[in-house]
Amino acid sequence: MRKTIFMFALALLAASALSAETINVLMWDDAYPRSLLTMLPEFEKATGHKVYIEILQPPQVFTKTSVAVTKTSTDYDLVCVDEGNIPLFASLFETYDKWPSGKAFPKLDPQTVTPAMLDVAQWEGKLVGLPINGNLYVWMTRKDLVENAGYRKDFKAKYGYDLGAPQTFQQTLDMGTFFHEKGIASGFGPFNGGPAGVFGEAIWMWEGFGTKFIDWVNGKPKLVLDEKKGVEGMEFYKKLMGISPKGAETMAHAERQAAFATDPKGVFSMFIWPAQIAGYENPDKSLVAGKILYSAPPAGPAARLAIRGTWAVNIPLASKSKQAAAEFVYWWGSRDIAMRLVEMNTVPARTDALTDPKWASTKPWLAAIADSMKYAAARPRFKEVAQVQDIVKKYWIQGITGQAPCADAVKAIVKETNDVLAKAGY
């Protein structure tokens, strides 16, 4: 009898070993995936699968995906793709309806994803992956500055309204100028790093001033920028650059965080991606932890919007470990893991985790994220977007830093973008 039980146990172990797989995952680098890494042993123990995760900066993720994933071969079983690049890679991924059912974890209902994020992984009427983080502009304002009685009195005397989290572009400039001119803090924290991020800032300004950049017309992307409003948006951002920290013309996320959170002078107000909140609220690394007001981004003359920057996780068609890859996503996107990611001050894409009442008093940024989602706005998406992002970044930086007149910079963007669209056959 004991021998039979022993042989049965060996058979179970052998079967488990045969079903265990190794999957390779490509992720972007920020607090969110790094928080997920700490829980990885739990998934491996529950399933027997082994997971190797490669974490790179977003531009490198794009480059790696471009060279390492095709319809017939892939170095990865799961690839995270920034929403703007979904059109470029969509044909290389398995549509979500064909993902296998889970064995240890049930297949996720896409409706668990917050509505503002779900569209991210849609392309040509199909869901080609699963949005996995709740990423869009949220506004940060220095609470310690706006609640200072002396500053409030002086500001009200000069501008005629109350100091607080800025609700409009003009208030952002007024309040930022107030602190900048007094030498109390830099007034604004711009983003001038990677092309996708600069593209987001340009879209934020342009649509805030009432003009789209590229829209879909008769099933094709078409440049629809009103040049006058385009120049107004660029000129306004140029004014914000005038109250920004030294080195603002090259500021990316690391430089922005250092300016806001570790420089004793600091920055009055700027946007943040939710996944980065953990760094700003870490008292061991931030001078302003617990001193930040969170809100939806300020509104332009024509619209309030929060630029979306969500990532989707996708299974390449060529993956030989689709079952294990899908299982990993089902675990990752489960309510249990989502709640723990929220606990770690990162932002998953699950509605039920983000809106749980237990966070109301301890994580005030979640209410601001929910408010921002009312104004979620996507950057234009089409297959040639990477080329256009490079064009926009080049001339946007020239315009906002005074290297070229804003009118000339906008004209160059229009011309070269139209050249790309024409060459693509649109």
Side-chain angles (χ1 to χ4, degrees), residues 327-377:
E327 195 87 59
F328 180 65
V329 177
Y330 304 154
W331 167 80
W332 178 2
S334 67
R335 175 175 167 78
D336 175 58
I337 298 301
M339 289 291 285
R340 290 162 66 187
L341 286 168
V342 174
E343 184 70 56
M344 298 166 80
N345 290 341
T346 64
V347 183
R350 281 191 71 111
T351 302
D352 54 4
L354 294 176
T355 59
D356 194 296
K358 72 176 288 185
W359 311 122
S361 61
T362 59
K363 301 187 184 299
W365 50 86
L366 292 181
I369 291 168
D371 196 23
S372 289
M373 285 184 180
K374 300 173 186 175
Y375 311 105

Side-chain angles (χ1 to χ4, degrees), residues 42-323:
E42 298 174 30
F43 170 78
E44 294 181 333
K45 182 178 180 180
T47 62
H49 301 313
K50 186 70 178 175
V51 183
Y52 290 99
I53 294 180
E54 185 175 356
I55 292 181
L56 299 173
Q57 291 300 313
Q60 295 173 295
V61 174
F62 172 81
T63 301
K64 261 298 183 71
T65 304
S66 299
V67 299
V69 181
T70 71
K71 287 185 178 180
T72 57
S73 66
T74 180
D75 292 343
Y76 302 99
D77 302 292
L78 283 170
V79 178
C80 293
V81 178
D82 190 359
E83 65 172 277
N85 295 318
I86 287 290
L88 187 63
F89 300 119
S91 65
L92 307 179
F93 299 141
E94 190 74 86
T95 56
Y96 190 70
D97 61 300
K98 295 181 180 177
W99 285 26
S101 298
K103 296 179 180 178
F105 302 94
K107 187 171 184 176
L108 296 170
D109 181 348
Q111 298 307 310
T112 60
V113 175
T114 57
M117 303 298 142
L118 187 57
D119 183 57
V120 165
Q122 298 274 359
W123 187 247
E124 295 183 340
K126 295 181 178 179
L127 192 64
V128 297
L130 203 69
I132 206 66
N133 65 332
N135 212 37
L136 79 173
Y137 278 13
V138 177
W139 207 253
M140 297 194 306
T141 302
R142 288 275 299 279
K143 182 179 180 181
D144 56 325
L145 298 184
V146 300
E147 293 185 351
N148 180 287
Y151 298 155
R152 292 178 66 84
K153 180 180 177 181
D154 291 349
F155 182 84
K156 182 72 173 282
K158 183 172 183 178
Y159 289 95
Y161 65 93
D162 290 331
L163 188 61
Q167 297 302 305
T168 66
F169 286 1
Q170 188 59 50
Q171 287 184 9
T172 305
L173 182 61
D174 290 348
M175 295 178 189
T177 300
F178 173 80
F179 288 108
H180 183 78
E181 288 181 343
K182 287 181 174 292
I184 297 167
S186 295
F188 178 72
F191 181 87
N192 292 313
V198 174
F199 193 47
E201 292 285 84
I203 298 302
W204 178 52
M205 279 287 117
W206 287 335
E207 293 197 20
F209 274 87
T211 180
K212 283 187 173 293
F213 175 49
I214 287 175
D215 207 357
W216 283 80
V217 179
N218 297 323
K220 297 179 180 180
K222 181 179 179 180
L223 192 146
V224 295
L225 184 74
D226 179 309
E227 288 192 33
K228 181 176 180 295
K229 293 178 180 178
V231 171
E232 288 175 352
M234 189 179 285
E235 290 280 10
F236 191 86
Y237 202 91
K238 184 178 179 180
K239 292 178 181 178
L240 294 175
M241 287 290 289
I243 58 170
S244 294
K246 184 179 179 180
E249 65 278 0
T250 57
M251 285 179 71
H253 294 309
E255 293 79 13
R256 297 173 87 241
Q257 182 164 331
F260 195 99
T262 63
D263 186 327
K265 183 178 180 181
V267 174
F268 166 65
S269 198
M270 67 185 195
F271 92 84
I272 188 176
W273 295 118
Q276 296 163 350
I277 289 172
Y280 289 78
E281 291 290 351
N282 183 343
D284 295 328
K285 299 179 179 179
S286 172
L287 298 175
V288 294
K291 302 176 182 178
I292 304 171
L293 286 176
Y294 296 92
S295 62
R304 186 193 297 268
L305 60 154
I307 299 298
R308 203 173 56 191
T310 299
W311 290 75
V313 61
N314 312 271
I315 299 178
L317 289 167
S319 169
K320 292 181 172 57
S321 300
K322 293 177 183 176
Q323 175 66 53

